[in-house]
């Protein structure tokens, strides 16, 4: 009997490591748009599926859209850092002053309209210059989305002069500064607050990429849409997908590798490619709604560029080591664009 009990005890002890290795890891993923939004269906869900396959079922995801874990979009980064969520998708622009170096990629006419390429540049820039802005979280991807478009409620505006005094939703601190430099009246707010502001006439228009249109029903709340010509984006947003650092550190080496294999420069570029596809969907929804889409003439765009120069100059002046950071960002965008 004693031999049998000892054998059973030994077997149980030997089995413990195997059981521990087979434990499931649940990632709570939190974001601010509805589950029907393209980011969840085109990025988060495929990413989770890939993690599940490569971890042999050990990594599973629970997705919480529309701020279902509470809080507001600007609080998402803190939730990831504090462990309320394990992974979040958010915009640095929602947290003015929190990412002073990373926001260089939001400067006017900084990024290429081929945003997967500019996203590779952004990843390299962050790895070298801005990891201190991500304390408590592990960057899985950082990228820029598509060129922003002016969406106006009931008035066609196609000149710089026409923007004067027009209340326009901006995506970030630099977006606000840019709109002010162009003569508009900037109104900062996260995307989820924008539809109500448009519907009630609190704002006359919004500066957002095409992809956001269907999820926010912007095509039903606006009539005129001004695309900005040229090779560079007049403005864009930086975005990030980050993981609680302690959660990552708690994983086995094998599961860390699965996460590492599905994050980084190429993952960032892949996410940006999904934005390209989503922009086409949003633009088509606007065309199908019978709205008017037009492009700001080249001569007017030169005026926009001239007016925007003060934004870049001020950023360089107020940011420690601003000139070097600006020049390095420009060089990286050029490197990947070529």
């Amino acid at each position: 009997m004693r031999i049998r009990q000892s054998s059973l005890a030994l077997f149980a002890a030997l089995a413990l490591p195997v059981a521990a290795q087979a434990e499931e890891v649940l990632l709570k993923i939190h974001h601010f748009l509805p589950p029907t939004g393209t980011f969840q269906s085109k990025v988060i869900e495929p990413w989770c599926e890939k993690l599940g396959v490569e971890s042999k079922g050990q990594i599973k995801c629970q997705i919480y859209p529309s701020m279902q874990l509470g809080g507001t979009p600007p609080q998402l980064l803190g939730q990831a850092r504090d462990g309320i969520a394990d992974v979040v998708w958010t915009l640095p622009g929602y947290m003015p002053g929190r990412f002073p170096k990373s926001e260089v990629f939001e400067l006017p006419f900084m990024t290429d309209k081929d945003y997967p390429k500019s996203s590779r540049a952004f990843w390299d820039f962050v790895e070298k210059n801005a990891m201190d802005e991500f304390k408590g979280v592990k960057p899985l991807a950082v990228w820029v989305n598509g060129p922003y478009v002016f969406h106006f409620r009931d008035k066609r505006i196609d000149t710089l002069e026409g923007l004067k005094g027009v209340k326009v939703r901006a995506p970030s601190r630099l977006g606000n500064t840019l709109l002010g430099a162009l003569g508009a009246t900037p109104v900062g707010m996260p995307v989820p607050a924008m539809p109500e502001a448009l519907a009630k006439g609190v704002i006359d228009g919004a500066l957002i990429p095409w992809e956001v249109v269907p999820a926010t029903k912007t095509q039903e709340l606006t009539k005129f849409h001004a695309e900005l010509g040229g090779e560079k984006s007049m403005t864009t947003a930086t975005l990030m997908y980050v993981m609680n650092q302690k959660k990552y550190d708690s994983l086995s080496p094998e599961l860390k590798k699965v996460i590492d294999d599905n994050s980084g420069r190429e993952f960032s570029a892949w996410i940006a490619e999904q934005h390209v596809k989503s922009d086409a969907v949003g633009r088509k929804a606007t065309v199908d709604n019978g709205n008017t889409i037009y492009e700001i003439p080249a001569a007017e765009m030169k005026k926009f560029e001239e007016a925007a120069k003060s934004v870049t100059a001020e950023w360089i002046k107020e940011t420690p080591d601003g000139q070097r950071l600006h020049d390095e960002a420009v060089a990286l965008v050029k490197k990947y664009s070529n």
Side-chain angles (χ1 to χ4, degrees):
M1 179 65 73
R2 282 197 299 271
I3 292 172
R4 183 169 178 271
Q5 288 174 338
S6 298
S7 299
L8 289 173
L10 177 62
F11 175 81
L14 291 172
L16 280 174
V18 176
Q21 288 176 6
E23 285 182 2
E24 290 183 357
V25 172
L26 180 65
L27 297 181
K28 295 181 293 182
I29 303 177
H30 200 199
H31 68 93
F32 57 89
L33 284 184
T36 53
T38 55
F39 194 82
Q40 178 164 323
S41 62
K42 302 299 183 182
V43 175
I44 298 178
E45 290 174 5
W47 183 75
C48 287
E49 184 177 348
K50 201 162 183 286
L51 294 185
V53 171
E54 294 181 15
S55 69
K56 297 181 172 57
Q58 284 184 257
I59 298 178
K60 297 185 182 297
C61 297
Q62 180 64 54
I63 304 171
Y64 296 90
S66 304
M67 302 304 299
Q68 287 179 357
L69 291 179
T72 62
Q75 295 173 326
L76 281 165
L77 179 67
Q79 292 180 352
R81 187 182 57 239
D82 298 338
I84 295 171
D86 299 312
V87 177
V88 302
W89 164 49
T90 189
L91 283 74
Y94 286 172
M95 299 159 278
R98 178 70 177 75
F99 293 85
K101 291 181 282 189
S102 297
E103 74 173 1
V104 66
F105 273 75
E106 295 184 3
L107 286 172
F109 304 100
M110 168 63 75
T111 58
D112 195 278
K113 283 189 174 176
D114 188 332
Y115 24 113
K117 292 179 179 179
S118 288
S119 296
R120 290 185 177 95
F122 185 31
W123 176 269
D124 285 4
F125 179 88
V126 167
E127 269 204 320
K128 180 179 177 182
N129 299 289
M131 287 302 291
D132 59 320
E133 296 180 345
F134 292 82
K135 289 179 180 176
V137 296
K138 173 183 172 60
L140 302 173
V142 294
W143 68 100
V144 296
N145 60 1
Y148 274 55
V149 177
F150 281 112
H151 306 266
F152 298 113
R153 290 179 74 237
D154 49 23
K155 183 180 180 182
R156 174 171 176 151
I157 298 172
D158 50 17
T159 65
L160 185 64
E161 181 68 23
L163 271 179
K164 283 189 176 179
V166 178
K167 293 177 291 183
V168 181
R169 177 263 175 188
S172 63
R173 183 186 80 88
L174 280 181
N176 279 320
T177 305
L178 173 61
L179 284 173
L182 298 179
T185 300
V187 183
M189 65 179 66
V191 164
M194 182 193 69
E196 184 178 2
L198 279 171
K200 293 183 176 180
V202 174
I203 54 177
D204 303 309
L207 196 54
I208 58 170
W210 282 116
E211 66 163 312
V212 177
V213 167
T216 56
K217 299 188 186 302
T218 300
Q219 78 275 23
E220 299 174 14
L221 300 168
T222 56
K223 297 178 181 177
F224 299 97
H225 312 266
E227 296 181 315
L228 301 153
E231 295 180 0
K232 300 286 186 180
S233 298
M234 184 186 80
T235 186
T236 185
T238 55
L239 302 97
M240 60 184 182
Y241 195 51
V242 298
M243 182 176 184
N244 175 272
Q245 186 67 53
K246 291 181 180 178
K247 183 75 170 185
Y248 174 80
D249 292 341
S250 71
L251 300 178
S252 67
E254 293 78 16
L255 294 187
K256 282 180 181 175
K257 185 177 185 304
V258 172
I259 297 294
D260 293 344
D261 288 347
N262 291 280
S263 60
R265 182 193 301 113
E266 292 310 310
F267 180 48
S268 300
W270 178 81
I271 293 177
E273 288 171 4
Q274 310 319 303
H275 285 283
V276 174
K277 298 172 185 176
S278 299
D279 278 347
V281 172
R283 195 179 190 283
K284 184 178 184 301
T286 306
V287 170
D288 291 346
N289 200 58
N291 297 16
T292 300
I293 300 174
Y294 57 97
E295 186 172 293
I296 301 291
E300 282 299 316
M301 282 307 303
K302 289 181 180 178
K303 296 179 184 179
F304 278 68
E305 289 185 42
E306 192 62 33
K309 286 181 180 179
S310 63
V311 179
T312 298
E314 185 62 26
W315 185 90
I316 291 172
K317 181 180 177 181
E318 69 183 13
T319 305
D321 211 12
Q323 189 66 61
R324 182 190 68 81
L325 294 171
H326 170 270
D327 293 349
E328 187 159 334
V330 170
L332 282 168
V333 170
K334 184 177 181 180
K335 169 188 171 181
Y336 283 104
S337 293
N338 290 337

